[in-house]
Amino acid sequence: MKKKNKYSVLVVDDDARLLSSLSSILEENGYRVLTGANGHEAQEVLKDSSLDAVILDLILPDTDGITLLKKIHHEKPFLPVIMLTGHGTIAKAVEATKLGAFDFFEKPTEFKRILITLGNALKSSTLEKERTFLIEDALERYRMIGVSPAMKHVFEMIEKVAPADSRVLIYGENGTGKELVARALHLRSERAGNPMITVNCSAIPHDLLETELFGHEKGSFSGAIQQQKGKFMLASRSTLFLDEIGEMDLRLQPKVLRAIENGEIQRVGGNDVINVDVRFIAATNRDLKEAVQKKQFREDLFFRLSVINIHIPPLRERREDIPLLAEHFMIGLCRQRKRQPVQLSPAAVAKLLEYPWPGNVRELRNLMEKIAVLSDSEIVSGEEMDMYLNENRRSQSPMEDNSCEETLADIRRKKEKDAIEAKLAAAGWNHEKAAADLGIARSTLFSKIKEYGVKRKKS
Ligand SMILES: Nc1ncnc2c1ncn2[C@@H]1O[C@H](COP(=O)(O)OP(=O)(O)OP(=O)(O)O)[C@@H](O)[C@H]1O
Ligand SMILES: [Mg+2]
């Protein structure tokens, strides 16, 4: 009985006998077979059919297989091509594989071998298609928006630096898009097929960061019940994103330096030196040069990391990006919530343009999310936007406001101390009476006296 599979194969050969016998074998194995006796016929089939693989003779009456191979690769880059060669054409067949042919067979050849190779070619092209689909999907998900000259420069840098495998240090205030730039660099590199590994150096307590990065051997500390791979190993053949690198403990920095410089690591509690092939991208919101001067960051590590620097300017310095970003977030966030995109009136956009955005792009995204969830309007007015932005202003409590709050608290404390002193003096330091006059419990009065250091004045 014939096996069925879902694949279609084009076989191109001017040898009618070979064409017919190879077609029969393929059909017996469940393939849908299309044929061409020359380059012209092959091109007609290639135009119209959805194909999964091609078996192509190197020498054809009207063209040569290499020319056709190049054309197929150009038009259908995922289509695997297996070459058939006659006597004395091995050199050409080798050239064909260099050009991307999956494999070649010298005629006469066992059809069984062709079948095995065809199976492998189909598997690997399916994997390649999936890989490309995943990368394209991720590129869309992590798409970066920006029209300002500053962001255009960042995009140009990404374009140039991504495939180069060089180490990159990304600078930027909180929420400017450092992680997004790291992802863009990874996704546009040869390493994109493997997931980028991220370590946030400030979120992990210092003593745990070492095992997190380098892994550990079984029994290297209490609780190490089994050997554990570290992030350096997980990132092998991929990218390691060291986020908030400026917060890394000085004691750990020499080990990281060695890993970066020589691609060598040792697990905690282990003696074996393990080689890793990792691309490093680091990010910081600190001035690392200043940290080096203050001896808070090793100079040698700083120089190793900052081969290429990418600065992402704060949003307030590239205001022309604000309307586009706002729209981009609003469309995505409303789609997630299955509602029509909320429009922003020109007055609302003007308010966005005036606001200082201390939390940068993240703050803008969060604001759009708030509006997508809370707003009942189809179009947000200037006043409504003002209301949301005022909430942001209040919750942000920038430095000046903090200092103002501290002053208020000081005033409150001073007033309270004065009142306690006055009431105690008036009551002749009768605690019970003073507490009653102040409307507080006696125990509270005692603790306040202690807290403020109130003392009886000698008259
Ligand atoms: N140019 C941009 N286009 C689209 N989205 C952006 C852009 N810049 C930042 N974002 C979005 O803003 C948010 C913050 O970005 P990201 O996490 O990359 O910033 P960060 O600099 O790493 O922040 P932090 O310093 O707080 O870690 C994310 O949701 C990200 O997708
Ligand atoms: Mg980040």
Side-chain angles (χ1 to χ4, degrees):
M1 208 179 72
K2 269 191 193 176
K3 297 176 225 163
K4 265 250 170 259
N5 72 37
K6 54 185 190 304
Y7 298 111
S8 302
V9 183
L10 166 64
V11 187
V12 189
D13 204 311
D14 56 337
D15 177 342
R17 272 185 46 205
L18 185 140
L19 201 58
S20 133
S21 46
L22 183 52
S23 299
S24 313
I25 299 275
L26 288 169
E27 277 169 357
E28 274 169 30
N29 282 274
Y31 290 96
R32 187 171 81 101
V33 182
L34 298 117
T35 56
N38 53 48
H40 177 72
E41 284 183 19
Q43 293 198 46
E44 288 304 306
V45 178
L46 277 161
K47 238 189 266 166
D48 298 334
S49 313
S50 76
L51 291 167
D52 299 294
V54 181
I55 299 175
L56 177 62
D57 190 9
L58 195 58
I59 298 171
L60 294 166
D62 55 346
T63 177
D64 77 306
I66 296 271
T67 312
L68 195 53
L69 172 72
K70 282 188 192 158
K71 201 166 159 28
I72 294 172
H73 267 327
H74 181 66
E75 286 166 14
K76 304 189 176 191
F78 291 119
L79 196 58
V81 180
I82 296 167
M83 306 297 290
L84 298 178
T85 74
H87 263 314
T89 50
I90 291 288
K92 276 216 146 193
V94 172
E95 187 192 339
T97 45
K98 279 192 189 141
L99 286 169
F102 187 79
D103 206 346
F104 67 87
F105 289 96
E106 202 179 348
K107 293 194 270 190
T109 186
E110 269 184 81
F111 288 161
K112 229 199 259 164
R113 288 179 52 213
I114 298 186
L115 278 174
I116 293 170
T117 301
L118 179 61
N120 292 338
L122 289 165
K123 250 187 244 155
S124 93
S125 87
T126 307
L127 283 176
E128 186 59 25
K129 266 187 239 169
E130 277 171 9
R131 195 184 96 101
T132 309
F133 174 78
L134 285 176
I135 294 171
E136 276 170 9
D137 187 55
L139 277 169
E140 182 51 35
R141 202 157 7 109
Y142 298 116
R143 191 151 64 94
M144 290 197 78
I145 306 290
V147 287
S148 58
M151 282 315 281
K152 281 189 184 150
H153 179 66
V154 170
F155 298 155
E156 276 166 23
M157 289 289 282
I158 292 173
E159 212 52 47
K160 276 192 207 150
V161 173
D165 227 33
S166 336
R167 295 188 281 265
V168 184
L169 184 57
I170 307 165
Y171 286 97
E173 288 181 9
N174 285 341
T176 44
K178 296 186 291 296
E179 184 161 350
L180 215 51
V181 168
R183 281 196 188 283
L185 289 167
H186 172 69
L187 288 169
R188 286 172 170 75
S189 77
E190 290 285 319
R191 298 169 181 264
N194 298 317
M196 179 174 96
I197 305 290
T198 299
V199 181
N200 188 327
C201 303
S202 76
I204 305 167
H206 289 317
D207 39 345
L208 290 185
L209 188 58
E210 184 173 359
T211 42
E212 180 81 8
L213 285 172
F214 298 99
H216 61 74
E217 295 293 348
K218 184 176 169 180
S220 55
F221 53 88
S222 61
I225 17 178
Q226 57 189 30
Q227 191 192 60
Q228 177 89 32
K229 278 186 184 166
K231 297 265 172 142
F232 274 102
M233 265 191 93
L234 293 174
S236 206
R237 308 230 315 278
S238 188
T239 304
L240 183 63
F241 175 43
L242 296 168
D243 202 1
E244 314 253 13
I245 186 88
E247 309 308 316
M248 185 182 279
D249 195 327
L250 267 170
R251 286 165 297 177
L252 195 53
Q253 292 181 18
K255 274 194 117 177
V256 173
L257 179 72
R258 179 176 166 204
I260 291 178
E261 209 161 32
N262 307 328
E264 287 178 353
I265 59 157
Q266 273 176 301
R267 290 197 187 97
V268 173
N271 296 317
D272 296 343
V273 174
I274 306 161
N275 287 301
V276 288
D277 163 24
V278 173
R279 186 207 193 158
F280 293 94
I281 300 179
T284 181
N285 54 14
R286 281 185 77 177
D287 182 344
L288 272 196
K289 265 189 208 146
E290 196 186 294
V292 168
Q293 275 162 12
K294 288 186 181 163
K295 306 249 178 289
Q296 290 162 344
F297 201 85
R298 283 181 72 110
E299 188 173 30
D300 44 11
L301 181 57
F302 168 69
F303 283 122
R304 291 306 176 286
L305 286 170
S306 64
V307 175
I308 291 176
N309 298 308
I310 297 183
H311 290 262
I312 316 177
L315 193 54
R316 63 183 173 279
E317 287 174 18
R318 48 181 169 107
R319 292 185 185 272
E320 56 271 57
D321 291 339
I322 293 171
L324 268 180
L325 280 165
E327 193 191 350
H328 165 76
F329 290 135
M330 194 56 103
I331 291 172
L333 290 161
C334 288
R335 191 188 303 132
Q336 278 173 16
R337 284 164 187 78
K338 301 197 171 21
R339 73 176 282 190
Q340 281 294 317
V342 179
Q343 307 285 322
L344 304 178
S345 67
V349 173
K351 299 282 177 198
L352 293 180
L353 287 169
E354 282 165 14
Y355 183 73
W357 301 108
N360 291 295
V361 186
R362 177 174 293 114
E363 188 184 358
L364 176 59
R365 191 202 164 279
N366 291 350
L367 181 76
M368 292 303 117
E369 181 165 354
K370 199 191 263 182
I371 295 173
V373 174
L374 297 180
S375 178
D376 296 321
S377 339
E378 281 172 23
I379 301 179
V380 181
S381 66
E383 292 83 65
E384 191 179 347
M385 189 59 88
D386 236 359
M387 186 191 80
Y388 287 117
L389 286 172
N390 279 336
E391 274 174 34
N392 272 33
R393 281 189 185 96
R394 274 198 295 277
S395 63
Q396 224 94 46
S397 64
M399 293 293 270
E400 305 81 55
D401 284 359
N402 270 341
S403 54
C404 181
E405 261 177 34
E406 269 175 32
T407 317
L408 270 176
D410 284 347
I411 293 168
R412 209 175 298 126
R413 283 165 59 87
K414 192 168 180 315
K415 284 209 156 183
E416 197 169 68
K417 186 184 175 199
D418 288 349
I420 289 169
E421 268 176 355
K423 288 282 182 230
L424 275 168
W429 275 77
N430 178 331
H431 292 110
E432 203 164 347
K433 186 168 184 317
D437 287 349
L438 288 161
I440 55 174
R442 215 152 52 112
S443 56
T444 311
L445 179 63
F446 280 123
S447 65
K448 296 249 176 217
I449 290 171
K450 208 168 153 209
E451 185 187 340
Y452 295 138
V454 180
K455 289 202 178 84
R456 188 170 194 166
K457 288 196 181 99
K458 286 181 190 125
S459 49

